Amino acid sequence: PWGSGRPGWHIECSVMSQKYLKTDTLDIHGGGRDLVFPHHENEIAQSEAATGKPFVRYWIHHGFLTINQEKMSKSLGNFFTIREVLAKYHPEAIRLFFLNHHYRSPVDFSDAALEEATNALEKVYLAFKRVQERGGDMRYPPSAETLKKEPLYQEIVGVEEKFKEAMNDDFNTALALGYIFGGIKAINVYLQQTDVNKGLLGWAAAKLKELGKILGIFQCDPADFLTRGVSLSKEEIEALIAERAEARKRRDFKTADAIRDKLREAGIILEDTPTG
């Protein structure tokens, strides 16, 4: 058993790492908090006694996972597989949910929490889509010398620095994500301006996608992510949007709200912006 503390098992762990990883010292060793003693302490004692070298440089002991504040178990009927979760939620939403917690902290898994993570992702991809619509070119970064006085440029540079500091501080992904979302907010504020620097916009979005790639998120095409699960055709959506626009012109806000609700039920979030 993993946590039994049996000497034979711990020696076997050391032998396996030497055989398959070809090293006496591991960079990172993970496991639950309940394995600190006796399992991992025995591994250290026996491996280091045998090799005379440090067994592990960094120990990553994670918090426990609960389901709606209850321990996950088959007997309670709240046990499910990752395949079952993926059938309901986007992989990036699941990643974002876990990354919003420090790995040492306990995590309570619930549908409400996954919905919240999904909504947060939608806001990010909506910002990226708006960047594309305003002509943001992510292929050609602007000159740092010419844009260093731009507030958005300084904001995103600061986001990158703080992101790295958070990740270097015991993999503090929750704090790192907070800085990324601060960058998304800065982009949305910049998008409210009439005249925007397209190169700056593209660079800012690309930089946040680059940071997201480290965590395995924000890597989808914005249009693909935002239209997943939509039950209406493009023509039907555009017709409803046009109908709503006419209703707003007539100041028939009851009809306009009803159309927006219908679109929401179909998986379409409609937002009014200065550009349409």
Side-chain angles (χ1 to χ4, degrees):
W2 281 97
S4 68
R6 295 179 182 177
W9 174 254
H10 302 298
I11 293 174
E12 186 178 347
C13 287
S14 178
V15 170
M16 285 192 295
S17 66
Q18 292 171 343
K19 178 178 179 180
Y20 295 106
L21 302 179
K22 309 299 182 184
T23 181
D24 295 325
T25 301
L26 305 178
D27 287 325
I28 299 175
H29 192 314
R33 291 168 52 191
D34 56 332
L35 298 180
V36 174
F37 177 84
H39 184 69
H40 291 158
E41 289 193 5
N42 282 350
E43 282 192 70
I44 294 170
Q46 292 171 98
S47 297
E48 296 187 0
T51 66
K53 300 177 183 178
F55 179 46
V56 176
R57 291 191 176 91
Y58 298 98
W59 288 93
I60 306 295
H61 291 106
H62 59 77
F64 297 127
L65 175 66
T66 58
I67 307 296
N68 295 316
Q69 300 184 351
E70 289 186 315
K71 180 181 178 181
M72 184 172 66
S73 68
K74 291 183 178 179
S75 61
L76 293 174
N78 62 355
F79 180 90
F80 42 79
T81 67
I82 188 66
R83 288 186 180 88
E84 292 172 323
V85 181
L86 286 170
K88 295 176 62 178
Y89 300 103
H90 193 278
E92 286 197 1
I94 301 172
R95 279 203 183 105
L96 182 63
F97 163 73
F98 281 107
L99 291 166
N100 264 320
H101 301 78
H102 190 271
Y103 73 89
R104 294 189 192 273
S105 303
V107 179
D108 187 54
F109 195 92
S110 67
D111 285 327
L114 265 295
E115 291 291 348
E116 185 177 336
T118 299
N119 291 337
L121 272 179
E122 288 175 349
K123 292 178 181 178
V124 172
Y125 281 111
L126 188 58
F128 289 157
K129 187 172 184 295
R130 287 172 176 164
V131 168
Q132 292 176 343
E133 291 171 346
R134 296 295 296 275
D137 194 333
M138 301 184 186
R139 294 173 298 172
Y140 305 107
S143 166
E145 188 63 30
T146 58
L147 294 175
K148 62 183 180 182
K149 293 183 179 180
E150 288 276 3
L152 178 61
Y153 180 83
Q154 296 296 334
E155 181 81 22
I156 300 302
V157 168
V159 166
E160 182 177 26
E161 292 175 353
K162 293 175 182 177
F163 175 90
K164 292 178 179 179
E165 290 175 3
M167 291 298 289
N168 285 333
D169 183 14
D170 196 22
F171 293 113
N172 195 338
T173 56
L175 182 59
L177 277 172
Y179 293 132
I180 290 181
F181 278 96
I184 294 295
K185 182 179 179 180
I187 287 177
N188 283 328
V189 170
Y190 186 73
L191 283 167
Q192 293 176 7
Q193 299 183 19
T194 303
D195 296 319
V196 297
N197 184 306
K198 297 178 181 180
L200 173 59
L201 261 182
W203 171 84
K207 180 59 68 175
L208 296 186
K209 284 175 69 71
E210 179 184 315
L211 297 179
K213 187 176 181 180
I214 296 173
L215 303 174
I217 53 179
F218 310 152
Q219 300 306 297
C220 298
D221 177 79
D224 290 343
F225 184 89
L226 293 169
T227 57
R228 74 200 186 286
V230 173
S231 59
L232 297 175
S233 68
K234 181 178 179 180
E235 292 74 18
E236 290 173 321
I237 294 170
E238 290 179 347
L240 285 170
I241 292 175
E243 183 181 344
R244 178 175 179 270
E246 288 298 320
R248 284 166 59 84
K249 287 181 180 179
R250 300 192 307 269
R251 302 188 66 81
D252 183 1
F253 298 114
K254 182 177 181 180
T255 298
D257 290 343
I259 293 172
R260 184 164 61 178
D261 290 342
K262 181 178 180 179
L263 287 168
R264 183 181 295 275
E265 290 174 2
I268 297 293
I269 297 176
L270 188 63
E271 294 190 0
D272 299 304
T273 71
T275 58

